[in-house]
Amino acid sequence: MDINAIKSRLNQLQNTTSTANSFWKPPAGKTQIRITPYVENKDNPFVELFFHYSLVPNKTVLSPLSFGRPDPVQQFADKLKSTGDKDEWIQGKRIEPKMRTFAPVIVRGEENEGVKFWGFGKTVYQELLAFLADPDYGDLTDITNGRDITVEFKTAKELGKTYPETYIRVKPNQTPATNNKKVMELIKEQIEVPTLFRKYSYSELEDLLKNWLETGKVSDESNKETTPTNETATNGTSTVSSVKDSFDDLFNS
């Protein structure tokens, strides 16, 4: 047994005072960051998780698909999409889980705060993967010879759109993540991203789905960087009623 490793992990958990402090969200304007290696998987800094955005108002729900386990909401969504009915297909797409990717970062000027996790959608993820796959850029996360990234966040008002947008630019120079020994130690003190979210059981998700069907409330969270304007069901209550019948057929048969 590695006592030092156990003590380090205990200290790490005891120092985690707030889940909110573990995440980083780009402020308006430009911010320079560095993606660091993820201590739980040094071969890949990205953690892909799936979330439901429409089951509970103003709350995200972690899908068990994130861990390779069955999700009753996804099963129901698949059934809806297979009926051949356009409205039910739309409802199925709305309630199926959406992927969001997280990466450990240190924010320039805030290095003493340690590693935080930046969550982003498909567009930014694809751009980052393209840079990492390009041999001209190399490993952006390399502690000694990686590259910083400028993240520019533009608000919806600034863009004149219903949702904001995020742009990234990789710095041309290769630089060390830090020359500060204290910061280097902080980079090593990371937590497992999935532990920051509550894990729901299969039966709990079934209950959330049933409640969603009873209330008839629909919110729409796309896989863009931020949430676009919420939409309602195409045919209002009648669509939800039809969807509920499909639910009863699936889980009560």
Side-chain angles (χ1 to χ4, degrees):
M1 183 186 303
D2 189 339
I3 298 298
N4 290 329
I6 292 176
K7 288 181 178 179
S8 176
R9 179 60 174 159
L10 176 61
N11 181 63
Q12 174 186 337
L13 293 174
Q14 290 175 333
N15 289 334
T16 305
T17 57
S18 172
T19 297
N21 292 335
S22 299
F23 295 103
W24 177 72
K25 183 178 180 180
K30 296 180 180 180
T31 307
Q32 191 167 322
I33 66 167
R34 178 64 163 265
I35 298 178
T36 73
Y38 181 39
V39 296
E40 299 296 334
N41 184 0
K42 295 181 180 179
D43 294 328
N44 185 357
F46 302 116
V47 182
E48 298 176 2
L49 297 177
F50 292 84
F51 296 91
H52 293 291
Y53 294 96
S54 58
L55 291 179
V56 181
N58 303 315
K59 184 177 181 181
T60 57
V61 175
L62 182 65
S63 167
L65 288 179
S66 303
F67 314 103
R69 298 200 300 268
D71 181 341
V73 185
Q74 178 64 67
Q75 292 171 348
F76 182 51
D78 288 340
K79 180 175 176 61
L80 290 176
K81 292 189 294 181
S82 68
T83 63
D85 182 275
K86 180 180 177 181
D87 291 333
E88 290 192 356
W89 186 91
I90 292 174
Q91 291 283 28
K93 288 295 292 183
R94 282 177 174 162
I95 66 171
E96 66 182 4
K98 307 298 189 295
M99 185 178 77
R100 193 155 187 84
T101 305
F102 295 84
V105 302
I106 51 173
V107 181
R108 293 308 185 195
E110 302 174 5
E111 289 90 346
N112 288 331
E113 295 184 15
V115 169
K116 298 183 179 182
F117 287 93
W118 174 28
F120 42 82
K122 182 178 179 180
T123 301
V124 168
Y125 190 26
Q126 287 179 320
E127 289 185 49
L128 290 171
L129 288 176
F131 280 116
L132 285 166
D134 189 335
D136 289 339
Y137 286 92
D139 183 1
L140 305 182
T141 73
D142 187 274
I143 290 293
T144 305
N145 297 307
R147 301 173 193 265
D148 282 8
I149 298 172
T150 298
V151 179
E152 183 176 9
F153 183 78
K154 292 189 176 183
T155 65
K157 182 177 181 181
E158 180 182 1
L159 294 169
K161 297 182 178 181
T162 57
Y163 54 86
E165 294 184 357
T166 302
Y167 307 87
I168 62 172
R169 183 170 66 86
V170 176
K171 290 288 189 178
N173 295 331
Q174 293 176 290
T175 59
T178 183
N179 292 315
N180 187 310
K181 291 183 179 180
K182 179 181 178 181
V183 174
M184 184 62 73
E185 289 302 314
L186 289 174
I187 291 176
K188 298 176 183 177
E189 295 179 2
Q190 300 177 22
I191 58 179
E192 294 182 62
V193 178
T195 64
L196 296 171
F197 303 95
R198 176 186 170 186
K199 292 183 180 179
Y200 290 79
S201 68
Y202 190 94
S203 60
E204 286 177 322
L205 284 170
E206 279 188 306
D207 290 339
L208 288 177
L209 178 57
K210 289 177 182 177
N211 182 68
W212 174 81
L213 290 167
E214 291 295 335
T215 60
K217 294 179 180 179
V218 179
S219 62
D220 187 14
E221 174 84 5
S222 74
N223 207 24
K224 296 175 181 177
E225 287 313 288
T226 51
T227 311
T229 303
N230 287 346
E231 300 176 8
T232 57
T234 305
N235 288 330
T237 305
S238 61
T239 300
V240 173
S241 177
S242 175
V243 170
K244 186 177 185 303
D245 292 339
S246 297
F247 175 85
D248 293 336
D249 291 340
L250 178 62
F251 290 102
N252 295 328
S253 58

